[in-house]
Amino acid sequence: MCGIGGILLTPPSPVKSEWMHGFLRQLEHRGPDGYGWMSIHKGMIRQGCEVESDLFADMLIMHRRLSILDLSRAGHQPMSTSDGRFWITFNGEIYNYIELRDELRALGYEFRSRSDTEVLLAAYRQWGKDALTRLVGMFAFAIFDAQTKQLFVARDFFGIKPLYYTFWQEGFAFASEISPLLGLPGVIREINAQRLFDYLYLGVTDHGGETMFAQIKQLPAAHYMEVSLDRPNSTKVTRYWDIDVTRKAELSFEDAAIRLRDLFIESVRLHLRSDVPVGCALSGGVDSSSIASVIRLLDPTLELHAISYIASDERLSEERWVDNVGTVKNLVVHKVRLTAEDLRADLESLIDMQGEPFMSTSMYAQWRVFQTARNVGIKVMLDGQSADELLGGYASHRAAMLAGLVGQGRVLDAQRLARSMSGAFSWPKALARAFGRTVPDWIQSTIRTVTGRNTVPEWINTQWFEAHGVNTKGPSVQVGRRSLMRELYRTLTETSLPMLLHYEDRNSMAFSIESRVPFLTPALATFLFSLPESYLVATDGTTKAVFRRAMRGITPDQVLDRRDKVGFPTPEREWLIAQRSFVERTFSGSSAQRIGALRWTTILDEWQRGTRGDRMMDSRAWRWLNLTLWAQRFSAAA
């Protein structure tokens, strides 16, 4: 886990010391254990670990190190092959590096270190881009071939680790975060109007290959990019992997549970490989409790630290579940409790670190979990992220399952599932809504328009967006889906998971913590997508059904039998009202008034009515505040 960056210049010219210093300084939290760089000019390669003034180069790649595997100098980056042809700067972990190293040794390779970085570099030398699908891990890396003068840049299967790039006035540049790229000459801070609309209207961020900045792109998950040193402005981006949604497993429910148990235990085992202390996040839900339980199964004597956020509202608190797992599995549990004053004190740092606007104050609870991990000496954390997206844990997944049953004419099963779905409407209404989801997307869109459900809120200045080329009549992210597997794929690749991985990466790296997500491997995803939908969401409404069965006897029964879903709730409305004067100063300030995408008269009216209780105050209030503070701190032009 580290911070990486690179600058390609065309034509070759001096690399100003402030550019190198800016990259290395702004990525320091990602790698506080050391840094290095390599440059090439006219075939001559230089390497160093101190910032140099006006280094003349065709290309410069940089690295900030967070030492997790092989803590010695042998793991230093940028790292080269023994002949100096290939150079790598790498962020992430390759969990199956031991198995790959053994395979490469059998092919004649010798290794100078115990690091996964050297294994990755050798794997690329042996198999080229085909090495990617052999990896089990999270990664964003760049490998330079000094012979062909090609830079190969790749991002992991799900986008766990970030990689941003831009074309600037002197060439091409990439980095683990947006901020270093904004410091390059000629990189403007104009807001991407479509991404802004998606955030304000749909609450969606981080999807696809764009960012909130028009000039900053991101390499999408499961893609690689090839850049020529001679023509850095002509890049080629290629997808190398996708979930096979056509493959179907012919397994009984019980056999599927056994297979899933084996896959999950093996994934956790690989994710525990570390030369530094490992802990886990523990919410008390099925996912995080199962990770902690499998760790204890694999290592009964490990002093296992678990970090838990405890909501102040008793109705939302999962403390009793945390205590249950902590006691049964003999964990050292550290509890995080938060106030509105805590949020206000950390808000600017949180916004700076996220780099782009985010959806809710729940991200702050996660921020403090990682801060606590650092304070107790934990450097690697295992987390249950992506289990909901893979196993059907959200309400939208049950709705999609219901729609699928209706579409198949399975009336009794649909009625059973509808009866299990608690909420604000009756089960006949749930069935009616499910039937509506079975019609084609274009008909659904028409119905939403006629009924006013596609109406853009008055506080959004549609004229501003239309003037910036945004179609405000329909979202760029499709929301109408008709089956559970299609809904899972959408949340995994377009909506929920990309955002959550963004937050997790920034929150963990803010405190130099490596966060690992053992649910998120190609093997697990491919297997789960091969199962019948009813194995994931049962017709009695049980979510994650096959996983609950798989973990029986490992995870405490009390947790596996839970049917409520709490998530990571924070008292957002109460926090904002407690900081009312700060919020209102922000809304009335000059920075807010410069954001032409919003109608501030309407916003101030809705805010006042929300604080009085005249209308519901939902996540829009946070979006207004977060966008304003982000635009102010990043000097973003809207």
Side-chain angles (χ1 to χ4, degrees):
M1 186 72 70
C2 304
I4 66 174
I7 299 174
L8 278 68
L9 300 107
T10 178
S13 56
V15 178
K16 297 189 183 328
S17 59
E18 58 261 32
W19 301 346
M20 185 191 296
H21 181 75
F23 269 65
L24 294 173
R25 177 179 53 80
Q26 292 185 75
L27 296 176
E28 182 177 5
H29 52 278
R30 303 186 72 92
D33 298 330
Y35 66 87
W37 56 266
M38 71 80 67
S39 68
I40 183 169
H41 178 55
K42 294 182 178 180
M44 297 295 295
I45 292 175
R46 294 186 59 192
Q47 187 175 17
C49 56
E50 297 291 339
V51 174
E52 291 196 6
S53 300
D54 298 330
L55 180 71
F56 207 87
D58 302 21
M59 182 192 71
L60 171 74
I61 60 175
M62 294 159 282
H63 186 264
R64 295 262 4 175
R65 187 182 185 195
L66 180 65
S67 302
I68 302 294
L69 294 173
D70 191 347
L71 311 186
S72 73
R73 285 285 300 172
H76 182 79
Q77 296 184 50
M79 181 184 290
S80 71
T81 53
S82 58
D83 61 0
R85 175 179 172 180
F86 294 97
W87 290 79
I88 187 172
T89 181
F90 164 46
N91 170 29
E93 296 291 349
I94 307 302
Y95 303 119
N96 64 331
Y97 75 102
I98 294 176
E99 291 77 7
L100 287 173
R101 186 174 61 197
D102 291 343
E103 185 176 357
L104 288 162
R105 275 178 172 157
L107 293 171
Y109 283 83
E110 297 181 357
F111 293 90
R112 298 165 290 177
S113 74
R114 295 180 294 103
S115 71
D116 58 335
T117 306
E118 189 178 8
V119 172
L120 174 57
L121 189 57
Y124 180 79
R125 177 163 195 164
Q126 176 66 30
W127 298 300
K129 63 180 181 293
D130 292 337
L132 293 171
T133 53
R134 294 172 174 263
L135 306 177
V136 178
M138 54 182 182
F139 52 83
F141 66 82
I143 293 178
F144 177 67
D145 184 340
Q147 180 173 305
T148 64
K149 296 184 179 180
Q150 292 281 328
L151 188 69
F152 182 85
V153 184
R155 194 174 178 205
D156 65 63
F157 308 94
F158 302 96
I160 304 170
K161 304 317 299 173
L163 196 139
Y164 298 98
Y165 66 95
T166 189
F167 299 98
W168 58 305
Q169 65 186 27
E170 298 191 44
F172 170 86
F174 67 91
S176 294
E177 295 182 7
I178 289 175
S179 293
L181 301 177
L182 293 174
L184 295 173
V187 177
I188 60 175
R189 300 178 181 232
E190 178 185 354
I191 285 182
N192 182 325
Q194 181 65 64
R195 287 298 177 263
L196 179 59
F197 182 74
D198 293 345
Y199 171 68
L200 293 173
Y201 182 38
L202 299 173
V204 175
T205 63
D206 217 77
H207 55 287
E210 298 185 351
T211 73
M212 197 66 83
F213 290 98
Q215 199 172 336
I216 306 292
K217 309 297 181 183
Q218 65 175 339
L219 185 63
H223 283 70
Y224 66 82
M225 177 168 56
E226 295 172 295
V227 187
S228 169
L229 197 62
D230 296 327
R231 299 180 305 280
N233 289 330
S234 112
T235 60
K236 181 181 178 183
V237 177
T238 304
R239 185 173 197 118
Y240 66 84
W241 181 83
D242 200 357
I243 298 172
D244 183 359
V245 297
T246 64
R247 176 182 172 187
K248 300 302 175 187
E250 300 295 333
L251 292 172
S252 68
F253 183 82
E254 288 298 322
D255 287 343
I258 293 170
R259 176 61 178 150
L260 178 56
R261 179 190 303 148
D262 292 342
L263 284 170
F264 185 65
I265 291 174
E266 172 63 9
S267 181
V268 173
R269 184 185 71 81
L270 289 177
H271 282 72
L272 286 173
R273 288 177 168 173
S274 171
D275 293 334
V276 295
V278 178
C280 63
L282 178 65
S283 70
V286 172
D287 315 327
S288 63
S289 299
S290 294
I291 290 174
S293 298
V294 171
I295 294 175
R296 179 54 73 220
L297 175 71
L298 293 169
D299 192 340
T301 63
L302 174 70
E303 182 180 270
L304 181 57
H305 291 257
I307 318 298
S308 302
Y309 161 68
I310 307 299
S312 57
D313 188 334
E314 287 296 323
R315 297 169 299 176
L316 301 176
S317 174
E318 297 185 272
E319 187 168 16
R320 67 189 180 102
W321 304 107
V322 167
D323 290 342
N324 174 273
V325 177
T327 299
V328 173
K329 299 301 177 181
N330 190 28
L331 311 178
V332 182
V333 178
H334 307 269
K335 298 179 180 179
V336 177
R337 304 177 193 272
L338 303 173
T339 67
E341 290 71 27
D342 294 328
L343 173 65
R344 176 68 188 95
D346 289 333
L347 186 54
E348 291 181 354
S349 297
L350 180 64
I351 290 172
D352 287 346
M353 198 57 61
Q354 286 295 326
E356 296 179 86
F358 51 98
M359 272 308 301
S360 76
T361 54
S362 293
M363 300 310 106
Y364 177 57
Q366 186 188 63
W367 164 281
R368 290 293 295 270
V369 163
F370 286 117
Q371 182 184 56
T372 302
R374 185 184 69 176
N375 291 342
V376 299
I378 301 300
K379 204 169 184 178
V380 172
M381 290 275 285
L382 269 61
D383 187 275
Q385 207 70 270
S386 81
D388 286 315
E389 288 78 8
L390 285 169
L391 292 162
Y394 295 132
S396 64
H397 296 147
R398 286 193 296 168
M401 180 67 177
L402 182 58
L405 293 174
V406 170
Q408 297 166 37
R410 296 168 58 183
V411 178
L412 294 180
D413 285 338
Q415 181 177 331
R416 185 185 184 202
L417 178 57
R419 288 182 182 276
S420 75
M421 294 170 64
S422 60
F425 45 84
S426 63
W427 69 264
K429 192 169 183 179
L431 283 173
R433 290 191 174 190
F435 179 77
R437 291 172 64 111
T438 65
V439 302
D441 289 345
W442 69 270
I443 295 179
Q444 292 186 46
S445 180
T446 301
I447 293 172
R448 287 195 298 268
T449 299
V450 171
T451 59
R453 291 171 60 198
N454 260 355
T455 303
V456 177
E458 291 184 3
W459 49 268
I460 293 179
N461 185 351
T462 55
Q463 287 83 3
W464 185 92
F465 282 105
E466 288 168 359
H468 285 76
V470 175
N471 176 16
T472 61
K473 304 302 181 185
S476 66
V477 178
Q478 294 298 315
V479 294
R481 299 293 173 180
R482 296 182 297 279
S483 73
L484 174 59
M485 288 307 182
R486 289 180 67 186
E487 184 72 10
L488 288 174
Y489 187 85
R490 184 180 74 93
T491 54
L492 194 71
T493 61
E494 297 179 28
T495 56
S496 172
L497 188 63
M499 292 191 293
L500 294 174
L501 292 176
H502 177 116
Y503 307 149
E504 177 135 350
D505 173 81
R506 305 315 186 275
N507 284 338
S508 60
M509 295 310 296
F511 302 103
S512 307
I513 300 290
E514 176 170 292
S515 183
R516 300 177 174 180
V517 282
F519 279 98
L520 212 50
T521 69
L524 273 169
T526 300
F527 177 71
L528 290 170
F529 269 81
S530 75
L531 298 178
E533 293 183 342
S534 61
Y535 287 14
L536 304 181
V537 178
T539 54
D540 66 356
T542 301
T543 61
K544 309 177 183 178
V546 70
F547 185 70
R548 293 176 193 267
R549 182 68 188 92
M551 291 296 102
R552 193 69 67 177
I554 298 175
T555 304
D557 286 345
Q558 297 94 322
V559 173
L560 294 176
D561 292 337
R562 290 184 64 179
R563 293 298 179 265
D564 60 323
K565 179 168 181 59
V566 178
F568 231 52
T570 52
E572 188 167 280
R573 179 180 185 275
E574 290 76 10
W575 282 359
L576 292 181
I577 290 177
Q579 297 293 325
R580 181 172 182 172
S581 59
F582 165 70
V583 173
E584 291 178 356
R585 285 197 311 273
T586 303
F587 287 169
S588 302
S590 58
S591 295
Q593 302 307 312
R594 285 195 293 269
I595 302 177
L598 297 176
R599 299 185 187 277
W600 286 103
T601 301
T602 304
I603 285 174
L604 288 168
D605 177 64
E606 289 202 18
W607 165 258
Q608 295 294 342
R609 293 168 62 189
T611 56
R612 292 195 304 266
D614 296 343
R615 68 175 300 160
M616 182 179 68
M617 183 189 295
D618 57 19
S619 63
R620 74 188 72 178
W622 169 255
R623 275 178 272 170
W624 301 332
L625 179 64
N626 188 201
L627 175 65
T628 304
L629 294 173
W630 169 80
Q632 176 182 322
R633 295 195 65 77
F634 282 84
S635 302

